[in-house]
Amino acid sequence: MKKLVYSLLLVLIAVVFAACSSPGNLVDYRADLSPANEVPPITTSDATGFVDFELDGNVLTIQDNAVEDLSSEPFVIGESAAHIHDGCADENGGVLFPITVSEEGDGGLEMSGSFDLDDAQLERLNADCLYVNVHTEEYNSGELRGQIDGLLE
């Protein structure tokens, strides 16, 4: 009887361990950053960039990014010079989350952060109505913008 209980206990532990260690339902998103995406578009900047995200449940996390050739120093609004905003492609919207940024020199930035989205924000994300905006001294309202959309394949 002890062997049976011990065996069942080992099986239960293995099942619990397997369930806890398996990855969740992860979904990948990207924001391609361009001055032309700003509202209104900027035509006098050579800045470029992207931000890759991973969504795990309701947590959106920056996985990779590159920002190059900004015209000037980052311009901090609130807590950061980069944010996730609520707004579809041709509209400006309010800041939802500040993004942690660090300068890399020569007009580059490194971004990081994890953001807990509520149900309404998840709906906006899946409707391509959240965007990343990078603010600089020369372009206070934003030099680079990109909708968070499109599953990476």
Side-chain angles (χ1 to χ4, degrees):
M1 182 66 161
K2 283 185 178 182
K3 284 185 179 183
L4 178 61
V5 170
Y6 182 72
S7 296
L8 289 174
L9 183 60
L10 286 177
V11 169
L12 180 62
I13 290 171
V15 168
V16 169
F17 179 75
C20 291
S21 64
S22 63
N25 186 20
L26 305 178
V27 182
D28 295 323
Y29 292 85
R30 172 171 273 200
D32 287 312
L33 305 176
S34 170
N37 295 337
E38 289 289 344
V39 178
I42 294 174
T43 59
T44 55
S45 170
D46 294 325
T48 61
F50 71 88
V51 183
D52 288 341
F53 296 89
E54 182 176 80
L55 181 67
D56 185 0
N58 70 326
V59 178
L60 187 66
T61 302
I62 295 174
Q63 296 296 312
D64 190 18
N65 66 90
V67 172
E68 299 174 346
D69 300 323
L70 291 172
S71 65
S72 56
E73 298 295 314
F75 181 72
V76 175
I77 297 175
E79 299 175 37
S80 180
H83 309 93
I84 295 176
H85 291 254
D86 183 10
C88 295
D90 291 324
E91 61 187 36
N92 289 317
V95 172
L96 296 177
F97 304 102
I99 297 173
T100 301
V101 297
S102 58
E103 292 182 61
E104 292 191 326
D106 293 335
L109 290 180
E110 179 70 27
M111 294 186 236
S112 61
S114 282
F115 317 99
D116 290 319
L117 305 181
D118 63 26
D119 289 342
Q121 292 164 342
L122 281 171
E123 285 181 29
R124 298 290 285 169
L125 172 69
N126 290 318
D128 298 339
C129 288
L130 298 184
Y131 65 93
V132 173
N133 206 13
V134 178
H135 307 270
T136 61
E137 292 287 336
E138 188 166 336
Y139 300 99
N140 295 169
S141 61
E143 182 169 352
L144 283 175
R145 174 181 168 151
Q147 297 302 124
I148 304 172
D149 62 11
L151 302 177
L152 294 175
E153 306 210 13

